[in-house]
Amino acid sequence: MHIFPFLMILFLLTLPLDLEAQFEEAFETPQPRRIRAFEKIRSDVYSSVDYAVQIKVFDALMAMAEKQHDPESVLYAKAWIATAEARMDTSRLKPYTVQMNGYIQQAKNFHNNILQAQLLMMLVDYVGDVHHHIGAAMGYHIVADEIMNGLKADEMPRSFVGTKHDLMIHLYDIGDYTRAKEIMDKSAHLDRHPVYQFFYADLHSQILLELHQYDSSAYFIRQARAMLEKDTGDLHKGWYGILEGNMGKIHYYKKEFAEAIPLLENAVRITNEAQFHNVTASFGLMLANSYMQLNTIENVRTLYPLIRKAVYLQSKDEHYIGLYKLELVLQEEISPKRTLQLLDSIEVRKQNLAKLYDRNLLTKSEMEAELAAFGERNIAMANEIKRQLWWRNVLWGFLGGAVLVAFYVFYIGKSRLRRERKRTTEIQEQSEQELDEAREQLLHFATSLQNKSSQIELLEFNLLASQQLESLEQLRQNSILTDEDWVKFKTLFEKVYPGFFALLKNKYPNLTAGELRYLALAKLSFTTREMASTLGVSPVSVRSIRSRLLKKLDLVESENLGHLISSL
């Protein structure tokens, strides 16, 4: 009694080493098949251990997956932890379902169909086995089945053929034959074990029979019969009777009672010998009704004890109803009390069937609701993805537009800058050209004045004849700057020395016009004699102007005046 806790402690102590050895090899398998490798380890080693131990196992796996930077394996581990916790506390159905649906959506975002199908099958097992919400479980199972149809055999999260067969049987039991046929048709390409091939053919025939596709149903019955004849012993020989009875059912449903009778007789005999009481009762009631349709009531009396035995051994409400109706028909003398008992029993059995029918309807409604909810979640996720893509496209479009606008603005700005630079260069070149022309004109003007001044000096020095006196006087008259000449001279001078006169007037507002002219000629390096000749005054007058300027400008020596003129 005390060894189990010791073994559990030992298991927990050795768990990290075991996990590292077991999962290290699985991590070498690339996604998405890695999930299948994990699931095989789980089912082989950890499926039977305590839930608390399973949580420790998958906590360790999650840590390893995080270290490997594998979010899909982290999600797988989280799902099994949530499942183990939900199985420990079964009151967590709703939060667990919400949590698992979130994980399934994440698996879908990873585009990992193996993981998505595995998580769905976790939900199928928990919702169906633990809480018996068969409809919801079937809804999840249908979604998982659709995903698994696109997987290869070695990618399936578990025995796909077996789970698909279970799903179709559930759909058949609740009367959803159309969906069962759709799933059956999609599984036609699967490689199956011969036994499963046989079961599929038999189930396919019964689904088609309920859909009144009699020829197709008969085809699959014959196919199952051929498989049964090749069987090496895995299948019970009582199946010959079932297949015979199923073929008889086709004729019975088509109201071909004469054709149905020999097949149903053979089916009742074989299944009764094989002790397949459920189908013996079903085929026996069909056979009895076929006898009555052909007015062979004695055959019904002979068959009745066998039917009664089979019905009592398997206890299905619809069979009891058929048995009680036979008793009412066969008893020639029956007491009112027995008649009431039989009628009451029929009513009770009908109520039971009605409850079963209601449960099947509820299961079907629950399944449809879960499928619709899952579809809505997918649509919501798809819409969210579309919304995100729309916003991303808008953002990229905005950024692209902004880049284009910025490029356009940059291009326009650069073009404008080039034009402004070109214009500035042109203006600068024009200004320099104008300045050169002004300098040249001013130099020419100054040279002309200086030449005239030199001629006057020369004439004064060589004063011999009256004709020369006349020429000297004429030249002096031409040398004196008139107001018109001064305007022309000032214009040229301002071009070469812009702001010269304005600066002087601002700094020394009491300067006279003569003093300004003197300062301008001094700027041009005219000598005293050249100034006198140009201004039409004597050199003494020029010196007087300079003396006044020294006093007015509060300068001590002529050098200081020269420095002032140079600085302007």
Side-chain angles (χ1 to χ4, degrees):
M1 293 179 62
H2 300 289
I3 193 170
F4 180 76
F6 172 76
L7 291 175
M8 181 59 68
I9 292 171
L10 181 63
F11 176 79
L12 291 175
L13 290 174
T14 59
L15 182 61
L17 296 176
D18 289 341
L19 278 173
E20 186 173 353
Q22 293 165 20
F23 290 122
E24 189 176 84
E25 185 176 351
F27 272 107
E28 294 177 2
T29 305
Q31 290 288 13
R33 294 172 185 261
R34 185 178 299 170
I35 299 302
R36 185 70 186 93
F38 288 149
E39 183 58 17
K40 188 176 187 310
I41 294 171
R42 184 206 67 81
S43 60
D44 291 347
V45 181
Y46 297 109
S47 60
S48 60
V49 300
D50 182 77
Y51 295 132
V53 176
Q54 290 187 30
I55 291 171
K56 289 183 179 295
V57 168
F58 290 106
D59 272 333
L61 175 60
M62 184 165 63
M64 294 174 68
E66 288 173 344
K67 189 175 180 180
Q68 294 280 343
H69 304 290
D70 181 4
E72 293 164 65
S73 297
V74 170
L75 186 61
Y76 170 81
K78 283 182 177 180
W80 269 120
I81 291 169
T83 300
E85 290 174 345
R87 286 181 177 271
M88 292 173 67
D89 179 8
T90 57
S91 65
R92 298 182 63 252
L93 173 62
K94 186 173 181 180
Y96 169 76
T97 303
V98 171
Q99 186 178 16
M100 287 296 291
N101 275 294
Y103 289 159
I104 290 165
Q105 297 301 326
Q106 291 182 47
K108 189 170 185 179
N109 292 338
F110 288 136
H111 304 289
N112 190 329
N113 288 341
I114 297 177
L115 177 57
Q116 193 178 355
Q118 178 60 53
L119 300 184
L120 281 162
M121 293 309 296
M122 290 183 195
L123 262 177
V124 171
D125 291 343
Y126 181 78
V127 174
D129 297 345
V130 177
H131 289 275
H132 307 293
H133 293 314
I134 306 302
M138 289 172 63
Y140 292 124
H141 201 158
I142 289 169
V143 177
D145 184 78
E146 284 291 326
I147 295 169
M148 288 189 284
N149 280 331
L151 300 178
K152 296 178 181 178
D154 60 345
E155 294 176 337
M156 302 298 176
R158 63 174 65 176
S159 174
F160 185 40
V161 174
T163 57
K164 183 182 280 287
H165 189 260
D166 293 342
L167 176 60
M168 288 187 293
I169 289 176
H170 283 308
L171 290 169
Y172 179 83
D173 288 341
I174 66 171
D176 195 344
Y177 307 118
T178 301
R179 184 172 274 121
K181 181 180 181 298
E182 290 174 356
I183 294 174
M184 180 72 77
D185 290 341
K186 290 178 181 178
S187 68
H189 66 285
L190 293 176
D191 292 330
R192 307 184 187 93
H193 186 277
V195 173
Y196 267 119
Q197 288 181 350
F198 173 81
F199 287 145
Y200 265 65
D202 174 66
L203 180 59
H204 208 161
S205 72
Q206 297 309 291
I207 293 170
L208 292 169
L209 178 62
E210 296 298 336
L211 293 171
H212 307 293
Q213 297 178 20
Y214 302 122
D215 292 340
S216 298
S217 178
Y219 167 80
F220 282 102
I221 293 172
R222 288 191 291 270
Q223 190 180 80
R225 177 69 181 244
M227 294 176 192
L228 185 60
E229 290 174 350
K230 293 179 181 179
D231 182 56
T232 58
D234 292 332
L235 294 168
H236 197 285
K237 297 307 177 182
W239 274 100
Y240 281 109
I242 294 175
L243 296 177
E244 285 284 286
N246 288 343
M247 191 66 79
K249 280 171 66 175
I250 294 175
H251 293 292
Y252 181 81
Y253 278 25
K254 294 168 69 175
K255 301 187 184 305
E256 298 171 352
F257 302 111
E259 291 82 357
I261 286 174
L263 294 168
L264 291 172
E265 287 176 339
N266 201 24
V268 169
R269 178 182 59 81
I270 297 172
T271 57
N272 184 53
E273 291 174 358
Q275 298 184 352
F276 287 1
H277 303 296
N278 184 37
V279 287
T280 300
S282 177
F283 294 149
L285 289 168
M286 288 183 193
L287 180 57
N289 193 45
S290 298
Y291 287 149
M292 286 190 289
Q293 293 295 329
L294 298 179
N295 295 315
T296 54
I297 195 68
E298 290 304 318
N299 290 340
V300 179
R301 294 184 189 278
T302 304
L303 183 62
Y304 177 77
L306 189 149
I307 296 174
R308 186 171 184 274
K309 176 186 173 183
V311 169
Y312 282 178
L313 286 173
Q314 53 78 43
S315 300
K316 291 189 74 172
D317 288 309
E318 63 268 28
H319 293 163
Y320 273 107
I321 293 172
L323 180 66
Y324 296 153
K325 287 181 177 179
L326 279 180
E327 185 175 348
L328 287 170
V329 171
L330 294 175
Q331 295 295 334
E332 295 178 354
E333 294 183 4
I334 186 171
S335 66
K337 182 178 180 181
R338 180 58 182 165
T339 301
L340 289 174
Q341 287 177 342
L342 290 173
L343 291 174
D344 286 344
S345 296
I346 290 173
E347 186 61 31
V348 170
R349 298 292 179 175
K350 283 184 176 180
Q351 290 176 2
N352 291 341
L353 284 178
K355 290 177 182 178
L356 177 61
Y357 178 77
D358 290 342
R359 283 197 299 271
N360 287 340
L361 280 181
L362 181 62
T363 298
K364 192 173 180 180
S365 298
E366 191 178 28
M367 178 188 71
E368 296 291 351
E370 197 55 52
L371 284 171
F374 197 87
E376 288 174 0
R377 284 191 292 269
N378 281 339
I379 292 171
M381 187 181 74
N383 290 336
E384 178 63 19
I385 292 172
K386 286 182 181 178
R387 189 183 67 83
Q388 292 176 0
L389 288 174
W390 186 85
W391 278 111
R392 187 185 70 178
N393 293 336
V394 168
L395 178 61
W396 279 113
F398 175 78
L399 291 175
V403 169
L404 289 175
V405 170
F407 179 78
Y408 177 76
V409 171
F410 175 76
Y411 174 78
I412 295 299
K414 194 170 182 180
S415 299
R416 184 183 295 114
L417 182 61
R418 282 200 300 268
R419 290 195 300 271
E420 289 178 354
R421 284 178 178 174
K422 184 178 179 181
R423 178 64 179 162
T424 301
T425 302
E426 291 175 352
I427 292 173
Q428 186 175 358
E429 290 175 353
Q430 184 179 356
S431 299
E432 289 177 355
Q433 184 178 356
E434 290 177 355
L435 182 60
D436 289 341
E437 291 176 356
R439 282 174 178 168
E440 187 177 350
Q441 292 178 17
L442 183 61
L443 178 62
H444 177 74
F445 203 110
T447 303
S448 176
L449 292 176
Q450 288 173 338
N451 288 338
K452 289 179 181 180
S453 178
S454 297
Q455 291 178 21
I456 291 171
E457 288 183 19
L458 182 62
L459 288 172
E460 286 180 341
F461 184 76
N462 298 315
L463 188 59
L464 297 172
S466 60
Q467 187 177 357
Q468 288 179 328
L469 286 172
E470 184 178 349
S471 297
L472 177 63
E473 184 61 27
Q474 202 172 26
L475 185 61
R476 281 176 174 164
Q477 289 296 325
N478 291 334
S479 299
I480 297 172
L481 286 172
T482 64
D483 290 338
E484 186 179 347
D485 292 333
W486 172 247
V487 171
K488 182 180 178 181
F489 172 80
K490 188 177 180 181
T491 301
L492 291 172
F493 189 89
E494 283 284 1
K495 287 183 178 181
V496 178
Y497 302 107
F500 180 85
F501 295 109
L503 186 60
L504 279 173
K505 293 296 289 181
N506 287 335
K507 197 169 183 179
Y508 308 107
N510 57 347
L511 292 176
T512 63
E515 291 168 345
L516 289 174
R517 293 181 185 185
Y518 172 85
L519 290 172
L521 294 175
K523 182 71 174 176
L524 295 176
S525 302
F526 273 46
T527 63
T528 301
R529 184 173 291 278
E530 288 171 344
M531 288 184 189
S533 298
T534 300
L535 296 173
V537 296
S538 66
V540 175
S541 298
V542 172
R543 293 190 196 94
S544 299
I545 294 172
R546 183 171 64 251
S547 298
R548 287 200 306 273
L549 277 171
L550 289 173
K551 291 181 182 179
K552 187 177 290 187
L553 303 179
D554 196 18
L555 298 174
V556 179
E557 298 179 357
S558 297
E559 290 181 6
N560 295 335
L561 182 60
H563 289 315
L564 173 65
I565 293 170
S566 298
S567 65
L568 295 173

